[in-house]
């Protein structure tokens, strides 16, 4: 199971595409050199040849900054400006965010990459919202209780405080309210439904499609349908994640209170 997924944000980055890490895997990043290869090459003269290292842990990841002079920033893409500064020389800084962007300054701007940590685990305090099983956790501490044994791995690890969960909830709302409902909201409908929430004031159709893609490929792992592309492919993803979420009660009636009050006609 992947603990961490790294997505380069610059087309010049090598290798292109997604890099998947399991627990214990390590990925070095930097400008690289023939005698100093790195796992993820970042373009930019201001980037050290071996700038840092990313290590996947059970349900989160750590970052090391090998630079002697430059601070790196890890932004929480689900938070309103929340970020972690990684000082020069800092080794193994734990990152608590599920969706992050690592930013390195260079002479003409910034370079970086996006990191997904989709296997976050949650304590019993979240079970009322998620309905998920989280056994063997000392109440209020997140620590393993003595003799609790191996942690139960959640098949679908969803964070009800994350924006992608609100998108999933908005997609499922018609069928939660009326089981016979056929239509599934499109990206524009989701934007209109969620925008009254302060956390979604800047939500766009592109962002909704991004969250749908993340849910389909990473959080719920629905099988890719072959032979479709473009709008048809996105329609199929919406239908697939709604069907799976309702089938396994990943969203339920009690979650509907997280949505804005409905206006007349909604």
């Amino acid at each position: 199971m992947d603990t961490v997924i790294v997505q380069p944000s610059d087309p010049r980055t090598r290798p292109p595409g997604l890099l998947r890490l399991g627990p214990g895997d390590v990925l070095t990043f930097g400008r690289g050199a023939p005698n100093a290869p790195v796992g993820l090459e970042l373009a930019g003269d201001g980037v050290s040849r071996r700038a840092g290292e990313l290590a996947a842990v059970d349900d989160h990841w750590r970052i090391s900054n090998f630079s002697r002079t430059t601070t790196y920033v890890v932004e929480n893409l689900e938070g309103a400006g929340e970020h972690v500064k990684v000082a020069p020389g800092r080794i193994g800084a734990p990152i608590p965010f599920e969706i992050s962007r690592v930013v390195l300054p260079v002479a003409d701007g910034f370079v970086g990459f996006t990191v997904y940590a989709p296997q976050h685990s949650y304590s019993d305090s979240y079970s009322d919202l998620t309905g998920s099983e989280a056994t063997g956790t000392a109440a209020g501490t997140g620590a393993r209780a003595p003799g609790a044994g191996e942690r139960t791995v959640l098949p679908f690890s969803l964070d009800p405080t994350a924006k992608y969960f609100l998108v999933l909830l908005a997609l499922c709302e018609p069928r939660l309210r009326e089981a016979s409902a056929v239509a599934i909201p499109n990206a524009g409908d989701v934007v209109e439904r969620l925008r009254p929430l302060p956390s979604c004031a800047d939500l766009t159709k592109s962002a909704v499609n991004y969250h749908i893609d993340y849910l389909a490929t990473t959080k719920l792992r629905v099988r890719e349908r072959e032979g479709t592309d473009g709008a048809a492919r996105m329609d199929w993803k919406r239908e697939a994640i709604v069907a799976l979420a309702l089938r396994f009660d990943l969203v339920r009636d009690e979650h509907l209170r997280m949505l804005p009050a409905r206006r007349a006609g909604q």
Side-chain angles (χ1 to χ4, degrees):
M1 182 173 292
D2 300 324
T3 296
V4 168
I5 301 171
V6 178
Q7 181 181 40
S9 54
D10 187 328
R12 296 172 297 174
T13 301
R14 293 185 298 175
L18 300 178
L19 299 170
R20 300 178 182 275
L21 284 71
D25 290 344
V26 171
L27 176 70
T28 55
F29 59 88
R31 187 153 50 94
N35 60 349
V38 294
L40 181 65
E41 291 187 18
L42 302 175
D45 292 341
V47 179
S48 300
R49 290 181 173 82
R50 193 165 182 268
E53 182 179 276
L54 186 156
V57 193
D58 287 341
D59 61 355
H60 66 287
W61 56 283
R62 297 175 182 269
I63 185 170
S64 297
N65 181 352
F66 297 152
S67 171
R68 297 180 179 178
T69 58
T70 304
T71 294
Y72 304 156
V73 174
V74 182
E75 302 172 336
N76 179 11
L77 295 184
E78 291 283 348
E82 188 179 16
H83 65 276
V84 170
K85 294 195 290 187
V86 186
R90 179 72 162 89
I91 300 298
I95 303 301
F97 312 137
E98 179 172 334
I99 306 176
S100 315
R101 179 186 293 123
V102 178
V103 180
L104 286 69
V106 294
D108 58 349
F110 304 94
V111 296
F113 49 89
T114 302
V115 182
Y116 301 89
Q119 300 303 327
H120 277 198
S121 55
Y122 301 95
S123 71
D124 289 341
S125 61
Y126 274 87
S127 60
D128 288 344
L129 277 174
T130 64
S132 58
E133 182 185 7
T135 61
T137 304
T141 67
R144 301 288 299 151
E150 294 297 323
R151 188 188 65 201
T152 301
V153 177
L154 304 180
F156 304 111
S157 176
L158 298 176
D159 178 2
T161 68
K163 203 167 292 182
Y164 66 70
F165 189 86
L166 289 173
V167 170
L168 178 62
L169 183 55
L171 290 171
C172 295
E173 182 184 16
R175 292 189 182 176
L176 281 172
R177 297 190 185 280
E178 176 55 62
S180 62
V182 176
I184 297 175
N186 58 33
D189 297 331
V190 173
V191 169
E192 184 178 353
R193 185 72 181 101
L194 296 180
R195 191 163 279 171
L197 295 173
S199 63
C200 297
D202 58 350
L203 191 66
T204 65
K205 291 172 63 175
S206 296
V208 169
N209 285 330
Y210 161 83
H211 289 298
I212 291 172
D213 197 58
Y214 180 59
L215 285 161
T217 59
T218 303
K219 302 302 291 186
L220 304 183
R221 304 181 302 280
V222 298
R223 292 183 177 179
E224 190 73 27
R225 174 177 288 183
E226 298 180 354
T228 57
D229 54 13
R233 181 168 173 268
M234 189 56 69
D235 288 344
W236 175 83
K237 284 185 177 179
R238 287 190 292 114
E239 294 173 2
I241 62 175
V242 167
L244 190 145
L246 295 178
R247 184 180 184 188
F248 290 98
D249 288 337
L250 304 181
V251 293
R252 301 184 301 280
D253 290 346
E254 57 263 38
H255 293 127
L256 292 175
R257 65 177 184 268
M258 299 168 63
L259 295 175
R262 288 193 297 176
R263 300 192 302 271
Q266 283 188 314

